[in-house]
Amino acid sequence: MSIKQRITSAYRYIEPNLFFIGLFGSIGFPAYYFIWTYLFPQPYENLPLRLVCAFLFLPFAIKSYMPSLFSRYKEKHFVFSICFCLPFFFCYMMIRNEWTVEWIMSFMAAIFLSIIIIYDWLLILIFTTIAAFSAAVLGYMSMSNIGIGFHYSYLVVFSFSYLTGICFNYRNRIEIESKQLFSRSFSSGIAHEMRNPLGALYASQEVLLELLPETLTDDPQQHRLISNAEIHKLRDIIQDNISIINNGHSTINLLLSSIDSQKISPHSFHYLSIHDVVNNALNVYGYQQKSDRALVFFQINTDNLFFGNDILLRYVFFNLLKNSFYYKDKPNFKIIISVYSKKNETIISIKDYGKGIPSSLIKNIFTEYYTSGKKNNTGLGLSFCKKVINAFAGSIECYSTENISTTFIIRLPMITSPIIDKIQYDLMSTKKILFLGNQPQQLIDINHLAFFL
């Protein structure tokens, strides 16, 4: 794995916690200036350097409001900020404060923080080496003698802190990656088992389509046992089957790519009718019995558009329906799906009168690999549903009363919402244009437009 790939992986690993890191960093660096200056005075302090660190951490806390241009450099900014503000800053301040106990302990805290944030041992080794060397050089330029108060035993303590921290964090990361590898292998196995029969079915349908004539012939020597209407009906059925198979392949590819990247890409998003997607999901869902369809009631006040992917939203409904039908044998069981508008949101409610979920378990149902005891349940369904809805800039919640009902509430923003505009602008920033030609003015105009878009 290249250094760039390692940086990307480390960024994705810590990205959900960047807000808190940015919040504590942007507030903590200037706050500790007053602590070490007035409350527990130290030999040396540097407010401008602290303000630089606070400024570097601030984008982590407000990354949702940063301009689209920032997203191109967010990983580089992440690497530089962590390297500069943790090992470099604390090592430099420890040297300038002549290796006082307070700053030795602060530097050790920075060691553990950097290990937690950047779990990759190679990146930690590279960044720490560069940061410590730079801090030593700058310290030497500032005070000539950087060995005042230094003892070689400190190196043993620092090395032990790095070694143990990396080992324990690496073990935890290996366990997480093994679970992710299992989910990918599990998905790949399902995809492989589905593709074989789908491929065979697709080939047979193509053969049937080739053998069937488009219309009846007028030649009296060639007898036909089916009418023109029947021929058209057969051809329509076969073409529908081929379309379903193509959709199945698209669904498999989309789900696998989403699980593999751990983040759903918005490249396939477009405007869709909620009524059409929900209605289609209910029509093509694989009911165990035909009578099961009568247990699902769909009501919608006004149809709204949403910005997303129909295959992914349909998958969400498939998963919720599957979970609901697990308890369909309960008396008076039914599923009610309602769609209505509220402020700048479209609310989708999926309520089933099944077994319900104990209040102590609701908080865990969207956690990966969590299962409540159902057979053949991997614990990945609802967590992936949450990932899908979050990718649509929405939210999903669950409310339940045990032995009475369970309700899932999906909130999707209107297409006129600012958050949808941001997704579209972010998506636009990843687009590329291939220009072939030697007209310099056209190239200048394209570059000008691309820069602002």
Side-chain angles (χ1 to χ4, degrees):
M1 186 183 294
S2 66
I3 296 297
K4 184 178 180 181
Q5 291 174 326
R6 287 176 180 270
I7 293 174
T8 300
S9 178
Y11 181 83
R12 288 178 177 174
Y13 173 74
I14 201 63
E15 188 176 14
N17 296 318
L18 279 181
F19 171 79
F20 298 101
I21 295 173
L23 187 64
F24 283 109
S26 56
I27 297 175
F29 275 103
Y32 266 85
Y33 171 80
F34 297 97
I35 293 175
W36 295 135
T37 302
Y38 302 107
L39 192 58
F40 302 104
Q42 297 296 304
Y44 174 79
E45 259 301 338
N46 191 324
L47 181 60
L49 187 59
R50 286 186 175 275
L51 293 178
V52 170
C53 293
F55 179 78
L56 289 173
F57 268 77
L58 184 61
F60 296 150
I62 59 171
K63 61 186 181 71
S64 300
Y65 304 96
M66 295 295 290
S68 301
L69 186 63
F70 176 77
S71 62
R72 302 180 186 178
Y73 306 101
K74 60 183 181 182
E75 294 176 3
K76 297 182 178 65
H77 168 262
F78 165 75
V79 170
F80 178 79
S81 299
I82 299 303
C83 182
F84 182 89
C85 299
L86 289 180
F88 171 82
F89 173 84
F90 283 90
C91 184
Y92 174 74
M93 294 296 289
M94 179 177 62
I95 293 173
R96 291 301 306 269
N97 281 279
E98 300 178 353
W99 305 82
T100 60
V101 174
E102 291 84 352
W103 277 103
I104 291 175
M105 295 176 66
S106 297
F107 181 65
M108 290 185 64
I111 290 175
F112 288 112
L113 277 175
S114 61
I115 292 172
I116 292 172
I117 295 174
I118 305 175
Y119 66 90
D120 190 292
W121 68 270
L122 182 58
L123 293 181
I124 293 173
L125 178 62
I126 294 174
F127 294 161
T128 303
T129 302
I130 295 174
F133 179 78
S134 302
V137 171
L138 185 61
Y140 179 79
M141 294 172 61
S142 303
M143 54 188 298
S144 298
N145 187 3
I146 63 175
I148 301 175
F150 170 77
H151 296 283
Y152 285 102
S153 57
Y154 295 163
L155 296 179
V156 177
V157 176
F158 294 155
S159 300
F160 177 79
S161 300
Y162 267 106
L163 182 61
T164 55
I166 290 174
C167 288
F168 286 117
N169 197 48
Y170 180 76
R171 179 66 185 88
N172 182 51
R173 181 60 186 172
I174 288 296
E175 184 177 352
I176 294 174
E177 289 181 346
S178 65
K179 290 183 177 181
Q180 293 176 348
L181 181 61
F182 166 77
S183 67
R184 296 174 192 174
S185 301
F186 177 78
S187 304
S188 299
I190 292 178
H192 179 74
E193 294 299 325
M194 290 180 65
R195 279 198 172 104
N196 286 336
L198 286 176
L201 180 59
Y202 187 91
S204 64
Q205 298 291 343
E206 284 189 320
V207 171
L208 287 174
L209 195 59
E210 290 294 329
L211 292 177
L212 284 173
E214 294 185 3
T215 57
L216 287 174
T217 178
D218 296 329
D219 186 357
Q221 301 299 323
Q222 298 184 19
H223 301 286
R224 294 287 185 266
L225 300 179
I226 56 178
S227 65
N228 265 337
E230 291 171 326
I231 290 176
H232 288 303
K233 186 176 181 179
L234 283 172
R235 292 184 63 85
D236 290 341
I237 291 173
I238 294 172
Q239 288 175 345
D240 288 342
N241 288 341
I242 291 177
S243 177
I244 291 172
I245 294 171
N246 285 332
N247 288 336
H249 280 298
S250 299
T251 303
I252 291 170
N253 292 331
L254 187 59
L255 293 179
L256 286 180
S257 63
S258 299
I259 291 175
D260 182 65
S261 65
Q262 296 298 308
K263 187 176 182 180
I264 295 174
S265 171
H267 286 84
S268 62
F269 289 6
H270 52 282
Y271 293 134
L272 294 162
S273 163
I274 291 179
H275 173 271
D276 292 346
V277 174
V278 176
N279 202 48
N280 177 262
L282 297 179
N283 290 335
V284 302
Y285 177 74
Y287 300 97
Q288 292 183 350
Q289 300 174 357
K290 289 185 178 180
S291 59
D292 289 348
R293 177 63 181 88
L295 298 175
V296 184
F297 300 89
F298 177 39
Q299 52 193 28
I300 180 170
N301 294 335
T302 56
D303 186 20
N304 289 323
L305 297 179
F306 77 99
F307 188 66
N309 182 280
D310 55 337
I311 294 176
L312 289 173
L313 185 59
R314 192 169 62 198
Y315 173 86
V316 171
F317 276 96
F318 284 176
N319 194 277
L320 296 178
L321 288 172
K322 181 191 71 174
N323 291 341
S324 297
F325 274 118
Y326 191 86
Y327 301 105
K328 69 175 183 177
D329 293 332
K330 182 186 175 184
N332 300 320
F333 174 85
K334 61 181 177 180
I335 301 173
I336 299 177
I337 300 176
S338 306
V339 179
Y340 55 93
S341 300
K342 185 178 180 181
K343 295 183 180 179
N344 290 327
E345 294 180 325
T346 299
I347 312 296
I348 305 174
S349 169
I350 303 96
K351 183 175 185 179
D352 72 76
Y353 291 86
K355 184 179 179 181
I357 305 172
S359 57
S360 59
L361 303 181
I362 288 182
K363 61 182 180 180
N364 299 320
I365 62 173
F366 293 110
T367 304
E368 286 186 343
Y369 307 104
Y370 175 80
T371 175
S372 58
K374 294 179 182 177
K375 294 181 179 179
N376 302 320
N377 191 359
T378 62
L380 295 172
L382 287 177
S383 64
F384 188 75
C385 289
K386 183 177 179 65
K387 186 186 296 186
V388 169
I389 301 302
N390 288 343
F392 295 165
S395 63
I396 181 170
E397 306 158 0
C398 180
Y399 304 93
S400 183
T401 303
E402 196 170 3
N403 296 319
I404 297 179
S405 66
T406 300
T407 304
F408 284 90
I409 300 295
I410 298 175
R411 305 177 187 273
L412 297 176
M414 298 288 189
I415 59 174
T416 55
S417 301
I419 192 169
I420 298 298
D421 291 337
K422 185 178 186 307
I423 294 175
Q424 292 175 338
Y425 281 123
D426 290 343
L427 189 58
M428 178 70 75
S429 67
T430 64
K431 298 296 183 182
K432 296 181 180 179
I433 297 175
L434 175 63
F435 175 74
L436 300 177
N438 57 0
Q439 295 84 5
Q441 186 57 46
Q442 292 183 11
L443 184 58
I444 292 173
D445 293 340
I446 291 175
N447 283 329
H448 181 77
L449 291 172
F451 175 81
F452 287 102
L453 289 177

